[in-house]
Amino acid sequence: MTRRNRKRTGEGRSLSWRLGKRTVRAADRLTNLAVVLVILGMVLYVFYSLWDTSHIYSAASTEVYETYRPSEDDTESFAELQAINPDVFGWLTVYGTGIDYPVTQGENNSTYVNTDARGDYALSGSLFLDSESALDFSDFNSIIYGHHMEEGTMFGDLDLFREESFFQSHKYGSLFFDGQDHGLEIFAALEVSAYDERIYRTGDIPAAERETYLAYLKENALFYREAGITAEDHIVILSTCASDSTSGRLVLAARISSETFENPFAEDQETDTGSGAEGKSRLSLLILAGVLFLLAVMAVLVVRWKKRNKKSGGENSNERKKKK
């Protein structure tokens, strides 16, 4: 091989080496960019999930409906809610819990699964009376459904009645309908199947079968309180999904009374921020942690990028010096 051919061969190899190095460098930069974009996408997805969760629970908060709550002296605000959505007919409160919501009734039991009390779409839905139950609760048994949600929203606090001490200390609530308050006397807490037709009987139960129904409630109750319930009474079943079972349901049974009961937890609830506030605080911390994580990752990647560029610039400078 002549000197000229060797020189050309060397130049060819040098050119190939430089092209290969540039290709590797470009691939490295693209990889870094891809990593940044992937991490950024993941963080944005987490932020969106947090925002979406916050939105869902905010829509289910009792604070949303607080201004509409009826009282003995003022039902005008409640009438305003009814003007927005005529399907609203009552208000349910279980003392000492986060259950304090308007009650609706739709054409069927799917209407308010994903519709709130103002008639707007909402994953949290609203509390709703079984479509076959009488609006004036004149049936022997009536069923009110609600979503099982965390942070004490909707019927999430029915979980609390799984503890005997809580069941024993929380006996009362109120049910507003037909323009006046009615008392609720809680007498049973149960875990049942969604397919238990002996519990989920719609419409009125014939008088001859009412004692059997009450006996079934007592026999299958997690906790039961002797309250002198008879076949002449009217009871309401509060039902929600159980978080630990696909077809499981948590049920609270209460007698509807013309006598109203004072809320023994009223003062505590006025000063207590509630589980909803705790949820917002947790959400804020998660968002802050996410922001800090994003900034840290971005900082690390920027530093790495600068180092690589600096190193690459130094190598190119050395190559130019060699050529000279």
Side-chain angles (χ1 to χ4, degrees):
M1 181 181 294
T2 65
R3 181 179 298 177
R4 180 177 297 179
N5 289 337
R6 285 198 299 270
K7 184 177 180 180
R8 289 179 179 176
T9 302
E11 290 176 351
R13 290 177 179 175
S14 177
L15 179 61
S16 299
W17 180 82
R18 286 197 300 271
L19 288 174
K21 191 169 184 179
R22 289 175 183 175
T23 302
V24 170
R25 191 178 300 128
D28 186 53
R29 290 175 179 174
L30 288 174
T31 300
N32 284 337
L33 179 60
V35 170
V36 171
L37 292 176
V38 169
I39 292 176
L40 182 60
M42 292 173 63
V43 172
L44 290 176
Y45 176 76
V46 170
F47 282 169
Y48 171 77
S49 298
L50 291 173
W51 174 86
D52 188 51
T53 301
S54 176
H55 180 71
I56 291 172
Y57 285 108
S58 294
S61 171
T62 56
E63 296 175 0
V64 173
Y65 302 103
E66 189 173 1
T67 57
Y68 301 116
R69 184 187 295 110
S71 66
E72 294 181 1
D73 303 323
D74 179 20
T75 58
E76 290 184 8
S77 55
F78 182 70
E80 291 176 5
L81 180 59
Q82 288 182 302
I84 296 172
N85 181 13
D87 285 345
V88 174
F89 74 94
W91 196 285
L92 172 68
T93 305
V94 178
Y95 298 155
T97 74
I99 301 171
D100 190 20
Y101 292 98
V103 184
T104 62
Q105 186 183 54
E107 294 182 0
N108 55 62
N109 287 341
S110 298
T111 304
Y112 285 96
V113 171
N114 291 321
T115 303
D116 65 21
R118 289 178 293 194
D120 298 325
Y121 174 78
L123 289 175
S124 56
S126 60
L127 303 189
F128 61 93
L129 180 68
D130 190 282
S131 59
E132 295 187 22
S133 293
L135 279 174
D136 60 359
F137 293 91
S138 57
D139 294 336
F140 170 69
N141 71 307
S142 304
I143 305 174
I144 296 177
Y145 302 94
H147 282 305
H148 182 280
M149 298 185 67
E150 296 179 358
E151 301 183 9
T153 54
M154 302 310 289
F155 268 173
D157 272 355
L158 288 186
D159 256 343
L160 300 172
F161 288 90
R162 283 176 158 177
E163 297 293 331
E164 184 174 9
S165 59
F166 192 91
F167 173 83
Q168 296 299 344
S169 60
H170 292 70
K171 302 179 181 181
Y172 303 112
S174 68
L175 185 60
F176 178 88
F177 63 92
D178 280 351
Q180 63 182 34
D181 279 321
H182 300 76
L184 290 181
E185 298 177 79
I186 299 167
F187 66 90
L190 306 89
E191 290 185 14
V192 300
S193 167
Y195 306 106
D196 191 338
E197 296 180 353
R198 289 167 291 184
I199 293 290
Y200 293 100
R201 295 190 61 174
T202 55
D204 201 13
I205 297 178
E209 301 175 27
R210 294 177 183 178
E211 291 292 350
T212 302
Y213 185 86
L214 291 174
Y216 187 78
L217 288 178
K218 183 175 182 179
E219 291 168 4
N220 292 274
L222 289 173
F223 310 111
Y224 187 87
R225 181 181 295 114
E226 292 292 347
I229 311 297
T230 70
E232 302 302 317
D233 288 316
H234 299 279
I235 64 174
V236 61
I237 300 295
L238 312 182
S239 174
T240 192
C241 298
S243 57
D244 53 0
S245 174
T246 303
S247 61
R249 296 292 183 270
L250 297 177
V251 166
L252 203 62
R255 171 167 56 190
I256 302 172
S257 172
S258 57
E259 177 187 359
T260 58
F261 307 99
E262 290 187 7
N263 182 357
F265 309 99
E267 293 184 2
D268 295 337
Q269 289 179 322
E270 286 177 1
T271 57
D272 187 10
T273 57
S275 53
E278 293 175 3
K280 292 177 183 178
S281 176
R282 289 196 298 271
L283 179 59
S284 298
L285 290 174
L286 284 172
I287 292 176
L288 178 60
V291 170
L292 293 176
F293 173 76
L294 175 60
L295 292 175
V297 170
M298 294 296 291
V300 170
L301 290 174
V302 167
V303 170
R304 287 186 60 192
W305 203 320
K306 286 183 176 180
K307 286 183 177 180
R308 288 179 183 274
N309 287 339
K310 185 176 181 181
K311 183 179 179 181
S312 175
E315 290 176 350
N316 290 336
S317 177
N318 291 334
E319 288 179 7
R320 286 194 294 270
K321 288 180 180 179
K322 289 180 180 179
K323 290 179 179 179
K324 292 179 180 180

